Amino acid sequence: MTVTIKDIAKSAGVSTATVSNVLTQKKYVSSELEQRVYRAIEELGYRPNLYARSLKTNRSYTIGVHVPDIVNPFFSTSVKTIQKEANERGYQIMLYDSDSEAKTEEQNVNSMLSAHVDGIISIAPRMELSRLFEMVEVPLVIMDRPPVETDRNVAFIYADNYRGAASVADYLVEKGYERFICLAGPVGLVSNAQSRVNGFMDTLARHGVSPAQCDIRHGDFTFESGYELMKQVLEGYDPAPKPAAAFVGSDFMAWGAMEALKEKKVKIPRDMGVIGYDNIYYSSFLYPPLTTVENPSRDMALNAIRLLLDAVEDLRSLAGISVTLRSTLIVRKSC
């Protein structure tokens, strides 16, 4: 038998309006009444009719979420945070992965819009932002990309990658390193990858380090890329008289780089120091535990979904909104 709002109201000893307010969070309901309603919902096994609710409110109660690579823990952590918050507020998410392909990403955005999502969170988009703005009419939050000027209904949530990378250079110089390796992400495709290189190299220069003292190699943010780039570095590497320090553009890459070092019996950090970027969940479990920069994925994701849902529910524009969070160096044993 289908459980209705009337059944919940009768069981909880409240009005149907109170049950509705608890479910929609549109009006204040006292904690005591709210708990009674939730108890009744649980006891009766109530499941809201999303289709009926959509017809009544002209919303789908669905949020589109795009990531370039769900295998990367930075993105999966973000998605879990978004999903939990969305579910708590009565929304579901529609998740798409583009495998870092701009063309696939565009197709995914079209699919979200065809499904009539109420809003979209695009995490680290690969496609041109001008094209994304052109396509999307619903509220849009772009996460993990610096803000650009636009009058469209879009907000930006971002962590300062330049300052995060600068803190790595400061730390390494203070530790006494004189030789450096930079294994960069896809700088031509991802602005964050370029910001990390710029922050690192500019800060080394301010410390008097010449470009000749840093070996820069370009790849992408995958395990395989870090592994292959480090293998190339090791072809002519000698830790004497002083070891070099490697700044790697992501923890996923750093993991691959560390595996390449271990294969060649290069001790970390005795023969080479390694620092990653992102502080994904397993970084502290690598051997040795990885020194890295905290890229606050959970805080960014929480800001993104709350901003988006508030805009959807209050019919407010996101134009001109940007939130910049701080990145923090996490010192462990790899450097």
Side-chain angles (χ1 to χ4, degrees):
M1 187 174 104
T2 302
V3 177
T4 67
I5 287 180
K6 287 183 180 179
D7 297 325
I8 297 169
K10 183 178 179 181
S11 176
V14 299
S15 68
T16 55
T18 297
V19 176
S20 179
N21 289 334
V22 169
L23 291 173
T24 62
Q25 298 290 300
K26 279 293 185 183
K27 292 184 179 179
Y28 172 77
V29 176
S30 72
S31 176
E32 188 266 333
L33 289 181
E34 194 174 59
Q35 288 175 19
R36 280 162 55 183
V37 169
Y38 281 132
R39 267 199 306 272
I41 286 172
E42 187 173 346
E43 289 168 1
L44 297 175
Y46 172 72
R47 292 181 180 176
N49 187 328
L50 295 180
Y51 179 68
R53 184 169 61 151
S54 297
L55 289 177
K56 186 175 181 180
T57 62
N58 198 30
R59 290 190 212 146
S60 66
Y61 292 90
T62 303
I63 299 299
V65 180
H66 164 265
V67 297
D69 181 11
I70 196 61
V71 173
N72 188 320
F74 175 82
F75 300 121
S76 56
T77 298
S78 300
V79 170
K80 286 182 71 173
T81 303
I82 289 168
Q83 179 173 274
K84 183 176 184 294
E85 182 72 11
N87 290 166
E88 287 178 356
R89 291 180 60 170
Y91 290 76
Q92 59 188 345
I93 70 167
M94 182 178 290
L95 176 63
Y96 285 86
D97 182 330
S98 68
D99 200 25
S100 297
E101 294 288 340
K103 184 177 179 181
T104 304
E105 184 178 328
E106 185 167 332
Q107 292 169 351
N108 291 344
V109 170
N110 274 322
S111 296
M112 292 181 207
L113 296 172
S114 296
H116 302 288
V117 296
D118 294 324
I120 292 175
I121 297 175
S122 182
I123 305 176
R126 299 315 197 229
M127 64 188 291
E128 290 289 334
L129 293 186
S130 58
R131 175 58 181 153
L132 184 58
F133 297 160
E134 182 182 280
M135 293 176 66
V136 177
E137 296 294 336
V138 297
L140 169 67
V141 176
I142 294 178
M143 181 180 139
D144 198 33
R145 288 290 179 269
V148 299
E149 273 197 44
T150 177
D151 59 358
R152 304 301 292 265
N153 189 8
V154 55
F156 295 85
I157 311 294
Y158 177 64
D160 193 334
N161 288 261
Y162 184 96
R163 288 183 63 180
S167 70
V168 172
D170 285 334
Y171 174 75
L172 293 177
V173 170
E174 187 178 316
K175 290 275 287 185
Y177 285 99
E178 297 176 1
R179 289 192 295 159
F180 306 91
I181 298 156
C182 180
L183 305 186
V187 295
L189 185 63
V190 179
S191 59
N192 288 354
Q194 186 64 65
S195 293
R196 292 173 192 179
V197 173
N198 291 348
F200 185 64
M201 296 303 296
D202 289 352
T203 306
L204 286 182
R206 284 195 287 272
H207 285 289
V209 176
S210 73
Q213 291 172 262
C214 187
D215 180 1
I216 304 178
R217 299 177 186 245
H218 297 89
D220 55 44
F221 284 143
T222 63
F223 173 96
E224 293 79 10
S225 177
Y227 177 80
E228 292 298 332
L229 289 177
M230 184 55 77
K231 279 179 64 177
Q232 295 171 21
V233 169
L234 292 177
E235 288 174 4
Y237 179 70
D238 183 352
K242 280 189 173 183
F247 172 45
V248 189
S250 76
D251 285 1
F252 222 15
M253 289 180 76
W255 181 16
M258 290 172 74
E259 290 304 309
L261 289 167
K262 291 172 187 177
E263 279 188 9
K264 294 294 184 181
K265 311 298 182 188
V266 178
K267 299 291 185 181
I268 308 168
R270 187 193 70 186
D271 300 327
M272 184 185 294
V274 179
I275 294 185
Y277 205 106
D278 286 334
N279 194 32
I280 54 182
Y281 74 90
Y282 63 72
S283 298
S284 62
F285 302 111
L286 295 175
Y287 183 77
L290 180 64
T291 295
T292 184
V293 177
E294 171 79 48
N295 200 13
S297 59
R298 288 183 180 84
D299 287 346
M300 282 195 282
L302 204 54
N303 272 277
I305 185 62
R306 286 176 177 173
L307 263 179
L308 185 66
L309 292 183
D310 287 349
V312 167
E313 293 176 353
D314 298 338
L315 302 178
R316 290 190 289 104
S317 175
L318 293 168
I321 296 176
S322 66
V323 178
T324 303
L325 303 177
R326 182 180 291 274
S327 298
T328 307
L329 183 66
I330 308 296
V331 177
R332 297 193 180 105
K333 301 293 186 181
S334 66
C335 196

